[in-house]
Amino acid sequence: MLGVAALLVSAGARAEWLVDNNSPATLFLERTYVFLSPNRIHRLGDPRSPEHLFFEAQLAPHFFFPQYHRGSFRDPGGEYFFTAVATPYIQLRLLDTSSRPIIPPSYMPQLTFQVAHLRLLPHSAREGSPMRGLALAANFIVGHHSNGEDGCFFANQTGTDPDCVPSEGTLPLNEVTGSFATNFLRGELYALVAFDVEQDLDSAWLVGGGSFLEINSSLGIGGLTSEERAVYGDGFWGFSVQAQRIWHRHRFLFEGTLSRPFGEKPHRRTNLSAELSALPWWGAGFGLFTRYVHGQDSYNILFLEKLSQWQFGLVFELPPGVRLREEAREQEARRRLPGFH
C-alpha cells in the first residue's frame, strides 16, 4: 500500500500542488449508518439475552484538513489528491429492553492519509461523447478501537482491569463489562473504472473494488494486550467489490465485502456482507440502504458471537467530487432543488 502511495505521489511530484480549503473531493471513506434489524443480539452473561435490536448507529463524521491537489481530471496526466482526514468513528447499539440501554459503544477514532488519482482513459474525451475514467486511491489509517469498560476480559475473572483474579483468565469472554482495546494500522487500496460518463458528470456507471490489511498493535495508550491478542488476533485482511449507477445525479450502489481475521485462537468466522443503497441527489448525501451481514459480530467485545443479520435504515455519504462537478459546469447555471427559485 505504501508503495502504491509513493508511486502516486511521485507521479505528480513534478507539478505544482494547490491547497483546497472549500470543497475537498470525498473519495473512499467510511459512510454513516443508522438502522433497524429484525434479528436478535446475543450477549453472553446478560440474563435477558438474546434481545431485539432497537436501533444501531455507525457514525463516521469526517473532518478534512486542507486538501492538496494538482492538475485536472480532464488533463492528459489527470488529477492527484493528497488528503488527511480525522474521523471520530463511533458505533452505538440500543437494545429493545425495558429501559432501552445503549450497551458499551465501540469507540474507533482514526486518522486517514489518502493519496488518490483521477484521470480520463485514452480516447474518451471527444466532444459530445460519453467519457471513460479511472479512479485510484491508497489510504493509510492510524486508529484506536475500544469499548470504554473496565471489567476483566474473561468471564471467570473478578476485579477490574488490570487487577483481575486469576491473572490468567480463560474463555468465555466477559461480554457485558469486559475491557477491550487495541490500536491498529490499516492500509487500503481502491480502483474504480467509470464508463458512459456524461460530460456534465450527471450520469455514469462505475465498477471496481478494493482490498485492505489491518494490523493490531500493542504500542501506545490502549494498545492490545497479550491475552486480547490471543483471542482477537493479529489483524484482518479482506476485499470488496462495488458497482454503482449514477443517473441524473441519483446514486444506486451495490457493495459486497469479505473480511477475515488472522492470528486468533480459536479461529473465527469469515465475515461476509452485501449492501444495496439508494442516495437521491435531493437527499444531500442521505439515502436508504439494506444490508445482510453473516459471520461474527463486529461490535466491540462481542467479536466471538455469531451473527446473521439483516439491516434496514438510513445511510449518509457526501457526494464525491463536488469540486469536479463545479469545474465541469463552470459555464452552466447552477441546478436548484425542486420548488426553490
Side-chain angles (χ1 to χ4, degrees):
M1 194 284 300
L2 291 175
V4 173
L7 288 174
L8 291 176
V9 171
S10 64
R14 293 184 295 274
E16 181 182 3
W17 288 77
L18 304 176
V19 180
D20 192 330
N21 294 301
N22 298 319
S23 55
T26 56
L27 301 167
F28 307 111
L29 297 173
E30 291 273 9
R31 305 181 187 96
T32 287
Y33 296 91
V34 178
F35 59 85
L36 308 173
S37 174
N39 304 110
R40 296 192 174 207
I41 301 299
H42 185 266
R43 285 203 305 166
L44 193 66
D46 184 346
R48 299 170 298 187
S49 181
E51 287 294 337
H52 286 293
L53 177 70
F54 190 68
F55 82 86
E56 183 168 329
Q58 300 170 3
L59 307 176
H62 300 299
F63 298 93
F64 285 80
F65 292 87
Q67 184 176 74
Y68 291 84
H69 73 99
R70 76 105 180 151
S72 166
F73 73 97
R74 296 177 183 272
D75 291 343
E79 185 165 7
Y80 292 86
F81 301 93
F82 178 77
T83 306
V85 186
T87 306
Y89 187 85
I90 299 175
Q91 282 184 274
L92 303 174
R93 182 177 284 179
L94 193 152
L95 300 182
D96 192 12
T97 59
S98 56
S99 62
R100 294 201 171 102
I102 292 179
I103 64 176
S106 296
Y107 302 100
M108 292 182 285
Q110 47 196 257
L111 180 63
T112 301
F113 300 94
Q114 181 185 87
V115 180
H117 176 54
L118 304 179
R119 66 180 304 148
L120 296 179
L121 294 175
H123 313 298
S124 66
R126 290 173 293 182
E127 187 68 28
S129 63
M131 300 181 293
R132 292 177 294 114
L134 177 66
L136 301 173
N139 290 351
F140 179 71
I141 301 170
V142 181
H144 173 76
H145 181 184
S146 66
N147 66 343
E149 289 292 295
D150 64 356
C152 295
F153 186 61
F154 293 105
N156 73 319
Q157 294 175 308
T158 58
T160 58
D161 183 62
D163 301 316
C164 294
V165 179
S167 58
E168 296 294 331
T170 58
L171 291 174
L173 298 181
N174 174 8
E175 295 181 354
V176 177
T177 63
S179 172
F180 167 72
T182 181
N183 297 320
F184 63 87
L185 302 175
R186 181 181 174 104
E188 301 174 341
L189 296 175
Y190 295 98
L192 277 179
V193 176
F195 54 95
D196 286 343
V197 183
E198 294 185 356
Q199 294 288 334
D200 59 4
L201 308 184
D202 264 11
S203 298
W205 286 93
L206 299 96
V207 294
S211 60
F212 73 87
L213 175 65
E214 181 174 308
I215 303 295
N216 293 315
S217 173
S218 302
L219 300 177
I221 299 174
L224 195 70
T225 67
S226 58
E227 63 180 8
E228 290 171 343
R229 182 181 295 276
V231 183
Y232 189 61
D234 296 323
F236 297 83
W237 63 267
F239 62 87
S240 63
V241 293
Q242 182 183 127
Q244 184 174 172
R245 172 59 170 162
I246 302 174
W247 179 70
H248 298 295
R249 296 179 65 185
H250 307 297
R251 293 183 290 148
F252 304 91
L253 174 70
F254 167 79
E255 185 170 30
T257 304
L258 178 149
S259 66
R260 185 79 175 92
F262 60 90
E264 80 287 4
K265 194 178 279 190
H267 293 303
R268 293 194 275 143
R269 285 183 168 187
T270 298
N271 276 6
L272 299 169
S273 70
E275 176 182 331
L276 287 171
S277 56
L279 298 96
W281 72 268
W282 42 261
F286 284 96
L288 299 175
F289 85 99
T290 180
R291 180 168 57 191
Y292 179 70
V293 180
H294 179 76
Q296 292 191 256
D297 206 331
S298 61
Y299 193 87
N300 60 51
I301 202 170
L302 303 187
F303 54 83
L304 291 185
E305 294 294 342
K306 297 178 181 178
L307 186 71
S308 292
Q309 185 183 47
W310 283 99
Q311 302 169 354
F312 307 93
L314 294 174
V315 58
F316 177 78
E317 179 185 49
L318 285 174
V322 173
R323 181 163 48 77
L324 301 180
R325 186 176 302 281
E326 290 176 353
E327 176 188 314
R329 297 182 176 207
E330 59 186 1
Q331 303 300 327
E332 300 180 18
R334 184 181 297 272
R335 178 175 293 186
R336 296 171 178 170
L337 289 173
F340 289 82
H341 302 283

